[in-house]
Short mmCIF file of all heavy atoms in Angstrom, two decimals:
data_model
loop_
_atom_site.label_atom_id
_atom_site.label_comp_id
_atom_site.label_asym_id
_atom_site.label_seq_id
_atom_site.Cartn_x
_atom_site.Cartn_y
_atom_site.Cartn_z
N LYS A 37 71.47 156.73 124.64
CA LYS A 37 71.80 158.10 124.78
C LYS A 37 72.99 158.58 124.28
O LYS A 37 73.99 157.75 124.16
CB LYS A 37 71.64 158.51 126.35
CG LYS A 37 70.44 157.98 127.07
CD LYS A 37 69.14 158.43 126.52
CE LYS A 37 67.92 157.98 127.40
NZ LYS A 37 67.42 156.73 127.22
N ILE A 38 73.19 159.80 123.96
CA ILE A 38 74.36 160.43 123.60
C ILE A 38 74.48 161.82 124.20
O ILE A 38 73.50 162.56 124.16
CB ILE A 38 74.54 160.56 122.05
CG1 ILE A 38 75.97 161.00 121.62
CG2 ILE A 38 73.60 161.30 121.36
CD1 ILE A 38 76.36 160.83 120.15
N LYS A 39 75.71 162.11 124.79
CA LYS A 39 75.78 163.45 125.47
C LYS A 39 75.79 164.63 124.50
O LYS A 39 76.45 164.51 123.45
CB LYS A 39 77.00 163.41 126.40
CG LYS A 39 76.80 162.47 127.43
CD LYS A 39 76.89 162.92 128.72
CE LYS A 39 77.38 163.44 129.93
NZ LYS A 39 76.49 164.03 130.76
N ARG A 40 75.23 165.70 124.84
CA ARG A 40 75.28 166.93 124.03
C ARG A 40 76.67 167.41 123.82
O ARG A 40 76.98 168.05 122.80
CB ARG A 40 74.37 168.06 124.61
CG ARG A 40 74.45 169.38 123.95
CD ARG A 40 73.91 169.28 122.59
NE ARG A 40 74.34 170.49 121.81
CZ ARG A 40 75.39 170.38 120.88
NH1 ARG A 40 75.97 169.29 120.65
NH2 ARG A 40 75.64 171.50 120.20
N SER A 41 77.62 167.02 124.73
CA SER A 41 78.94 167.44 124.62
C SER A 41 79.71 166.62 123.76
O SER A 41 80.95 166.90 123.48
CB SER A 41 79.61 167.51 126.05
OG SER A 41 79.45 166.15 126.58
N ASP A 42 79.29 165.50 123.20
CA ASP A 42 79.96 164.67 122.30
C ASP A 42 80.50 165.51 121.11
O ASP A 42 79.68 166.12 120.36
CB ASP A 42 79.12 163.54 121.87
CG ASP A 42 79.82 162.53 121.01
OD1 ASP A 42 80.52 162.79 120.07
OD2 ASP A 42 79.80 161.26 121.37
N PRO A 43 81.73 165.57 120.80
CA PRO A 43 82.27 166.36 119.68
C PRO A 43 81.76 165.94 118.25
O PRO A 43 81.83 166.68 117.40
CB PRO A 43 83.66 166.29 119.81
CG PRO A 43 83.97 165.13 120.67
CD PRO A 43 82.81 164.88 121.51
N ALA A 44 81.24 164.79 118.16
CA ALA A 44 80.78 164.36 116.78
C ALA A 44 79.41 164.81 116.52
O ALA A 44 79.04 164.74 115.43
CB ALA A 44 80.92 162.70 116.71
N LEU A 45 78.72 165.28 117.47
CA LEU A 45 77.26 165.63 117.23
C LEU A 45 77.27 166.95 116.34
O LEU A 45 78.12 167.80 116.32
CB LEU A 45 76.56 166.09 118.53
CG LEU A 45 76.09 164.93 119.29
CD1 LEU A 45 75.38 165.45 120.63
CD2 LEU A 45 75.09 164.05 118.46
N PRO A 46 76.23 167.10 115.48
CA PRO A 46 76.10 168.30 114.69
C PRO A 46 75.90 169.50 115.55
O PRO A 46 75.32 169.38 116.75
CB PRO A 46 74.79 168.01 113.89
CG PRO A 46 74.56 166.60 113.88
CD PRO A 46 75.24 166.07 115.08
N ASP A 47 76.29 170.69 115.20
CA ASP A 47 76.11 171.91 116.08
C ASP A 47 74.73 172.29 116.40
O ASP A 47 74.47 172.87 117.46
CB ASP A 47 76.77 173.10 115.36
CG ASP A 47 78.29 173.01 115.12
OD1 ASP A 47 78.88 172.37 116.02
OD2 ASP A 47 78.79 173.64 114.32
N ASP A 48 73.73 171.90 115.51
CA ASP A 48 72.36 172.08 115.70
C ASP A 48 71.62 171.14 116.71
O ASP A 48 70.39 171.32 116.96
CB ASP A 48 71.55 172.47 114.43
CG ASP A 48 71.55 171.07 113.66
OD1 ASP A 48 72.56 170.24 113.85
OD2 ASP A 48 70.75 171.03 112.68
N ALA A 49 72.33 170.13 117.24
CA ALA A 49 71.68 169.07 118.03
C ALA A 49 71.44 169.63 119.38
O ALA A 49 72.31 170.31 119.86
CB ALA A 49 72.57 167.91 118.10
N GLU A 50 70.17 169.42 119.86
CA GLU A 50 69.77 169.88 121.13
C GLU A 50 69.32 168.70 122.04
O GLU A 50 68.95 167.63 121.38
CB GLU A 50 68.66 170.92 121.13
CG GLU A 50 69.14 172.21 120.33
CD GLU A 50 67.91 173.14 120.23
OE1 GLU A 50 66.93 172.95 120.64
OE2 GLU A 50 68.25 174.26 119.52
N ALA A 51 69.28 168.84 123.34
CA ALA A 51 68.72 167.87 124.18
C ALA A 51 67.31 167.40 123.75
O ALA A 51 66.48 168.31 123.47
CB ALA A 51 68.72 168.28 125.63
N GLY A 52 67.06 166.08 123.69
CA GLY A 52 65.76 165.64 123.22
C GLY A 52 65.75 165.20 121.79
O GLY A 52 64.82 164.51 121.29
N ASP A 53 66.74 165.70 120.91
CA ASP A 53 66.78 165.38 119.58
C ASP A 53 67.19 163.86 119.38
O ASP A 53 67.71 163.32 120.32
CB ASP A 53 67.80 166.29 118.80
CG ASP A 53 67.33 167.71 118.55
OD1 ASP A 53 66.04 167.93 118.71
OD2 ASP A 53 68.06 168.59 118.25
N VAL A 54 66.77 163.36 118.28
CA VAL A 54 67.23 162.02 117.82
C VAL A 54 68.20 162.18 116.79
O VAL A 54 67.91 162.76 115.82
CB VAL A 54 66.07 161.14 117.56
CG1 VAL A 54 66.56 159.78 117.17
CG2 VAL A 54 64.99 160.95 118.74
N ILE A 55 69.28 161.41 117.01
CA ILE A 55 70.41 161.37 116.04
C ILE A 55 70.50 160.15 115.26
O ILE A 55 70.37 159.04 115.85
CB ILE A 55 71.75 161.60 116.66
CG1 ILE A 55 71.74 162.96 117.53
CG2 ILE A 55 72.97 161.72 115.69
CD1 ILE A 55 71.54 164.26 116.79
N LYS A 56 70.67 160.21 113.96
CA LYS A 56 70.86 158.99 113.10
C LYS A 56 72.35 159.00 112.89
O LYS A 56 72.99 159.96 112.42
CB LYS A 56 70.12 159.15 111.81
CG LYS A 56 70.28 157.99 110.85
CD LYS A 56 69.55 158.29 109.47
CE LYS A 56 69.80 157.12 108.57
NZ LYS A 56 69.11 157.44 107.20
N ILE A 57 72.95 157.79 113.19
CA ILE A 57 74.34 157.55 113.00
C ILE A 57 74.52 156.46 111.94
O ILE A 57 73.99 155.34 112.14
CB ILE A 57 75.08 157.20 114.28
CG1 ILE A 57 74.79 158.28 115.37
CG2 ILE A 57 76.58 156.99 114.04
CD1 ILE A 57 75.36 157.82 116.66
N VAL A 58 75.22 156.77 110.79
CA VAL A 58 75.43 155.83 109.80
C VAL A 58 76.87 155.39 109.80
O VAL A 58 77.82 156.20 109.49
CB VAL A 58 75.18 156.40 108.43
CG1 VAL A 58 75.31 155.34 107.22
CG2 VAL A 58 73.67 156.83 108.46
N ARG A 59 77.18 154.09 110.12
CA ARG A 59 78.54 153.62 110.20
C ARG A 59 78.81 152.59 109.09
O ARG A 59 77.89 151.91 108.65
CB ARG A 59 78.69 152.86 111.54
CG ARG A 59 78.49 153.67 112.79
CD ARG A 59 78.69 152.74 113.96
NE ARG A 59 78.62 153.59 115.15
CZ ARG A 59 77.96 153.23 116.32
NH1 ARG A 59 77.52 151.97 116.34
NH2 ARG A 59 77.92 153.89 117.35
N ASP A 60 80.14 152.47 108.75
CA ASP A 60 80.52 151.39 107.83
C ASP A 60 80.41 150.10 108.57
O ASP A 60 80.70 150.11 109.85
CB ASP A 60 81.95 151.51 107.47
CG ASP A 60 82.06 152.75 106.45
OD1 ASP A 60 81.11 153.19 105.77
OD2 ASP A 60 83.14 153.35 106.37
N SER A 61 79.97 148.96 107.91
CA SER A 61 79.86 147.70 108.60
C SER A 61 80.54 146.66 107.67
O SER A 61 80.26 146.73 106.41
CB SER A 61 78.39 147.41 108.87
OG SER A 61 78.18 146.08 109.22
N ARG A 62 81.17 145.65 108.29
CA ARG A 62 81.77 144.58 107.46
C ARG A 62 80.68 143.72 106.92
O ARG A 62 80.80 143.16 105.92
CB ARG A 62 82.79 143.76 108.29
CG ARG A 62 84.04 144.61 108.63
CD ARG A 62 85.03 143.71 109.34
NE ARG A 62 85.77 144.52 110.22
CZ ARG A 62 86.69 143.96 110.98
NH1 ARG A 62 86.89 142.71 111.07
NH2 ARG A 62 87.25 144.76 111.82
N THR A 63 79.65 143.56 107.63
CA THR A 63 78.58 142.47 107.25
C THR A 63 77.49 142.98 106.54
O THR A 63 76.94 142.28 105.70
CB THR A 63 78.10 141.74 108.57
OG1 THR A 63 77.51 142.80 109.47
CG2 THR A 63 79.14 140.99 109.32
N THR A 64 77.10 144.37 106.73
CA THR A 64 75.98 144.79 106.04
C THR A 64 76.23 146.09 105.22
O THR A 64 75.27 146.75 104.80
CB THR A 64 74.88 145.10 107.07
OG1 THR A 64 75.19 146.18 107.99
CG2 THR A 64 74.42 143.91 107.82
N ASP A 65 77.42 146.38 104.93
CA ASP A 65 77.88 147.52 104.24
C ASP A 65 77.76 148.83 105.12
O ASP A 65 78.72 149.55 105.36
CB ASP A 65 77.23 147.66 102.97
CG ASP A 65 77.74 148.71 101.99
OD1 ASP A 65 79.08 148.88 102.04
OD2 ASP A 65 77.02 149.39 101.23
N THR A 66 76.56 149.00 105.61
CA THR A 66 76.34 150.23 106.49
C THR A 66 75.45 149.77 107.60
O THR A 66 74.54 149.00 107.37
CB THR A 66 75.71 151.48 105.79
OG1 THR A 66 74.45 151.11 105.25
CG2 THR A 66 76.60 152.04 104.69
N ALA A 67 75.68 150.35 108.72
CA ALA A 67 74.80 150.10 109.85
C ALA A 67 74.19 151.44 110.28
O ALA A 67 74.94 152.42 110.48
CB ALA A 67 75.62 149.42 111.02
#
Side-chain angles (χ1 to χ4, degrees):
K37 312 301 186 274
I38 187 168
K39 295 241 276 167
R40 174 62 198 105
S41 58
D42 189 307
L45 282 179
D47 291 335
D48 59 340
E50 299 177 358
D53 285 344
V54 175
I55 304 296
K56 176 182 179 180
I57 304 170
V58 181
R59 299 181 177 140
D60 290 333
S61 171
R62 292 185 211 177
T63 57
T64 63
D65 191 34
T66 60

